[in-house]
Amino acid sequence: MYINDEVNLMPVSKQVEGTLFFSAFMFRFGSIEQRKEQPEQRMLEKDCRKHTFLICEEGTGRLYIGHKQYVFSSGRIYPLAPGESYQIEHDDKVALQYVVVEYDVFHVLTDDPELYTRSLFEHRNKLGGYAYAQLSGILESMLPMREYHTYSEYAGLNVQFQKLMGMMINRYTSLETELSPEGKVNSTIKYVDEHYAEEITVQKLAKLAGLRSAQYTTLFRQLTGRKPLDYVNHVRIQIAKEWLGKSDEPLRDIASRVGFKDEYYFSRRFRQSTGFAPRQYDRSLQRQTLVQDFSSHDVNIPAVPERIMYYGESAGDMLIMDLPILNQRAYDAVQPMNVEETVEMKPDLIIFDSSDEQQFEQFSRIAPTLAYNSHATLTDRIHMIGSWFGKFTEAEQWWLTYTENEMKMWQKLQAFIQPGETASVFVYHRGARLFVMGNIGLAPMLYHPLGFKPVAKIQEALAAGRAYKEIAAEALHQYAGDRVFLMLPEDPIARQATEALMQSAAWQGLNAVKNGHVYLLEETIWNLGDALTRMNLLNLLPELLSRRSDR
């Protein structure tokens, strides 16, 4: 028999940023499970019934919580609250092994403890990046004990669980102390940022990190894209720019103030970095504007940026506003970042479509960085860009013109749409995995007030702010509307899965298929949600809906 009551509750006293006191809570162990997913395995969305820790042990992958993406690799820990949903995907190389710990939280400020279901750890990224050995030891002791049969067995398991909670809370509420090698290098990067005027050598930094010089230099370069001393000079030159703009001091004094002992060496490094000698440095080039990004960071950006590097899926938002995007292209925001490549591009501004704070910090060391959210509404995105770059009037005019043309398009299409007619957009992605689209891609354009309606299941996803949702092919009928828009992906595996779906009984049984209301569309043309694509669809969609659909 298993014991489900009479369990121990242990209070823990810590405080999170002055707002959430851990002393007001007690924790009850629920379950622990170790999972190992092979590369070809499909992992559908899972709902959290209790508070949950996802702890990656081996392998690398991505974690999707709502519309947000997170790196999922060894030592990464992510907390979730009851009612939240998650999906994990691995890369296609090795198995992904992780541990799922479930537990209850009780609020005990009164004499009548109540179940607490809101988020306990508000910043998901704060639990990773530490030495994994101690945590691993606790997990290894808990896993064999999870099939308890007696009170004493449960008590032993509960002791280990409370140790785990104590460690999580300590990590969340304290500065990085038990650091991984990467964390140790990060601490020295912060040291450079604050002590740039002092004499700094690689040996000194490596000693501060407690690492061998060769190992330290390798990790430093992976994290910053620069050799340690190159980064030191980069920081010094950034500070020197500020002094040149506000001071008429002799160059030797400015050079000394930022850590250069030699005025001539300072001038040479300054020219290498900026293309200008210090006194030729045009003050107009260093003018900055303070803006707030989608993650509420306050960032000083160039008033007139010349080399913007964009990481994300909505480069068209930038291009319609005539921003100088490097190579007129977007870089992948999810794949591991090539820091050295980014440094070599010499951007004066980086726009990063993600909420990953660790990667945001990496980018910020290279150039001023703005967090972007391509899953926000198109109007929010366009107006945000306008406010960032002093183009608010242009943004407002673009939006008014677009919405006017969109309304005219749907008014003309009323002849081809039945009142209350529903529509769905499906696509295979990440290999042979089927998704129904929510608030990104083609779908939000279809769900215009004069357009199609989402079916109930999709409406649920939209209400939850879901960008997309992975589903099983057997559940297709629950999500299929009167019209079905099926995307044809570029990836060969996904394309093959799409063709197999169209031969399946689940597909052939859909009313949309029987009625000839299916549209097969190239994903790279139709399923992007950026402003440039949306403009193109104003012409393509009427052509599509005015002809008989594909079977």
Side-chain angles (χ1 to χ4, degrees):
M1 62 176 285
Y2 292 96
I3 301 171
N4 293 317
D5 53 10
E6 300 291 336
V7 296
N8 236 346
L9 299 179
M10 176 181 176
V12 182
S13 58
K14 282 289 180 181
Q15 181 181 2
V16 177
E17 297 178 356
T19 58
L20 187 63
F21 291 86
F22 280 98
S23 59
F25 301 98
M26 294 190 294
F27 312 102
R28 179 173 66 188
F29 173 74
S31 66
I32 181 170
E33 179 184 0
Q34 188 178 53
R35 298 173 184 167
K36 190 169 186 177
E37 314 284 3
Q38 298 301 325
E40 66 277 5
Q41 245 173 298
R42 181 178 65 179
M43 291 179 279
L44 295 175
E45 181 182 66
K46 295 184 181 295
D47 298 322
C48 294
R49 299 175 297 110
K50 298 175 178 288
H51 287 273
T52 302
F53 290 123
L54 299 177
I55 306 169
C56 185
E57 294 186 299
E58 298 177 5
T60 58
R62 304 173 193 173
L63 171 65
Y64 295 84
I65 303 175
H67 67 271
K68 295 186 177 180
Q69 307 170 17
Y70 302 90
V71 175
F72 199 57
S73 57
S74 179
R76 296 268 185 163
I77 305 166
Y78 293 98
L80 293 96
E84 290 191 301
S85 301
Y86 69 91
Q87 282 183 287
I88 299 174
E89 69 169 31
H90 33 51
D91 60 25
D92 296 323
K93 299 175 183 177
V94 297
L96 186 64
Q97 183 168 301
Y98 59 100
V99 175
V100 181
V101 179
E102 294 184 324
Y103 61 101
D104 291 313
V105 177
F106 293 88
H107 201 221
V108 292
L109 280 180
T110 66
D111 293 333
D112 185 18
E114 61 181 15
L115 194 64
Y116 186 83
T117 58
R118 298 197 300 276
S119 177
L120 192 66
F121 300 93
E122 297 178 355
H123 304 287
R124 296 193 204 276
N125 283 312
K126 289 189 68 173
L127 292 177
Y130 293 79
Y132 188 52
Q134 187 180 1
L135 174 62
S136 178
I138 294 178
L139 295 176
E140 288 175 3
S141 67
M142 291 179 67
L143 286 165
M145 303 167 67
R146 67 185 183 274
E147 299 295 331
Y148 56 87
H149 294 83
T150 68
Y151 285 100
S152 61
E153 289 175 352
Y154 176 83
L157 176 58
N158 188 53
V159 167
Q160 296 302 315
F161 168 68
Q162 299 300 339
K163 286 183 180 179
L164 176 68
M165 286 302 304
M167 181 181 296
M168 295 296 189
I169 293 169
N170 184 57
R171 289 183 174 188
Y172 191 74
T173 57
S174 64
L175 297 174
E176 299 175 354
T177 52
E178 295 297 325
L179 297 179
S180 64
E182 291 81 2
K184 292 176 180 177
V185 173
N186 266 318
S187 69
T188 66
I189 294 171
K190 293 176 182 177
Y191 176 85
V192 172
D193 293 341
E194 296 171 0
H195 298 83
Y196 55 84
E198 300 175 9
E199 183 176 355
I200 298 176
T201 65
V202 176
Q203 290 73 22
K204 179 179 181 178
L205 295 175
K207 185 176 180 180
L208 287 173
L211 301 172
R212 292 179 291 105
S213 293
Q215 181 188 13
Y216 176 82
T217 298
T218 299
L219 288 174
F220 193 101
R221 195 162 184 169
Q222 289 175 356
L223 291 171
T224 67
R226 293 181 168 91
K227 297 177 182 178
L229 294 186
D230 286 343
Y231 181 76
V232 173
N233 287 329
H234 167 73
V235 172
R236 289 170 171 169
I237 288 169
Q238 295 307 113
I239 302 299
K241 289 179 182 179
E242 297 178 11
W243 280 104
L244 286 167
K246 64 184 180 183
S247 171
D248 293 324
E249 293 181 11
L251 281 184
R252 63 177 179 274
D253 292 345
I254 292 177
S256 176
R257 186 186 292 277
V258 299
F260 288 103
K261 292 184 177 180
D262 186 329
E263 173 186 344
Y264 301 102
Y265 180 66
F266 163 62
S267 297
R268 181 157 59 87
R269 293 307 299 250
F270 193 96
R271 182 185 290 274
Q272 288 175 348
S273 176
T274 68
F276 296 93
R279 287 306 182 197
Q280 295 174 329
Y281 188 69
D282 186 350
R283 293 186 181 183
S284 68
L285 294 177
Q286 59 176 313
R287 285 185 305 176
Q288 294 183 327
T289 303
L290 181 65
V291 302
Q292 188 173 81
D293 67 11
F294 272 100
S295 294
S296 298
H297 302 116
D298 291 322
V299 185
N300 279 307
I301 68 170
V304 185
E306 297 182 340
R307 298 177 60 82
I308 300 176
M309 198 162 189
Y310 176 69
Y311 283 85
E313 298 180 349
S314 298
D317 293 355
M318 318 291 159
L319 296 175
I320 62 105
M321 298 297 291
D322 294 324
L323 297 180
I325 303 299
L326 281 170
N327 298 328
Q328 296 288 292
R329 57 158 288 194
Y331 293 83
D332 195 332
V334 179
Q335 292 293 335
M337 179 181 66
N338 187 328
V339 186
E340 291 188 49
E341 178 187 38
T342 306
V343 170
E344 290 172 1
M345 297 290 287
K346 297 183 177 179
D348 59 2
L349 178 66
I350 297 172
I351 300 177
F352 179 46
D353 185 7
S354 174
S355 59
D356 189 318
E357 285 296 315
Q358 291 180 338
Q359 285 192 294
F360 179 86
E361 287 185 14
Q362 279 188 305
F363 280 128
S364 296
R365 294 179 187 130
I366 299 170
T369 300
L370 295 170
Y372 195 63
N373 181 11
S374 61
H375 295 165
T377 63
L378 182 58
T379 180
D380 284 347
R381 298 190 329 250
I382 294 302
H383 285 92
M384 179 70 84
I385 293 171
S387 68
W388 286 346
F389 301 107
K391 294 175 174 264
F392 196 87
T393 301
E394 294 95 320
E396 178 65 11
Q397 186 56 55
W398 184 90
W399 178 248
L400 290 174
T401 301
Y402 170 78
T403 53
E404 181 181 348
N405 290 336
E406 186 182 38
M407 182 67 73
K408 290 178 180 178
M409 179 197 74
W410 282 112
Q411 288 172 342
K412 292 179 180 178
L413 285 173
Q414 293 306 293
F416 303 98
I417 300 176
Q418 298 299 318
E421 198 170 3
T422 58
S424 310
V425 181
F426 298 100
V427 62
Y428 273 95
H429 238 254
R430 310 172 203 160
R433 300 170 67 179
L434 180 60
F435 293 83
V436 60
M437 303 305 295
N439 63 12
I440 62 171
L442 173 64
M445 186 174 188
L446 295 178
Y447 302 142
H448 187 273
L450 295 181
F452 298 102
K453 308 298 180 186
V455 299
K457 278 285 196 180
I458 297 177
Q459 184 59 52
E460 290 177 6
L462 291 171
R466 297 292 302 274
Y468 44 76
K469 183 176 182 180
E470 184 172 4
I471 63 172
E474 296 75 23
L476 198 63
H477 65 283
Q478 300 179 43
Y479 294 87
D482 299 316
R483 310 238 189 160
V484 168
F485 298 79
L486 182 63
M487 297 296 152
L488 302 176
E490 283 189 320
D491 177 72
I493 297 175
R495 192 89 169 204
Q496 186 177 3
T498 305
E499 293 169 357
L501 175 70
M502 290 189 289
Q503 302 303 316
S504 69
W507 176 263
Q508 296 297 329
L510 297 178
N511 288 332
V513 176
K514 296 175 182 177
N515 296 330
H517 289 163
V518 171
Y519 304 89
L520 306 180
L521 306 172
E522 292 295 333
E523 183 187 15
T524 54
I525 297 175
W526 287 84
N527 205 35
L528 302 176
D530 64 272
L532 202 56
T533 298
R534 292 282 286 268
M535 287 176 61
N536 293 335
L537 292 183
L538 292 178
N539 296 319
L540 294 176
L541 194 59
E543 295 177 12
L544 181 74
L545 296 180
S546 62
R547 62 176 171 81
R548 183 169 177 78
S549 53
D550 305 299
R551 292 297 297 269

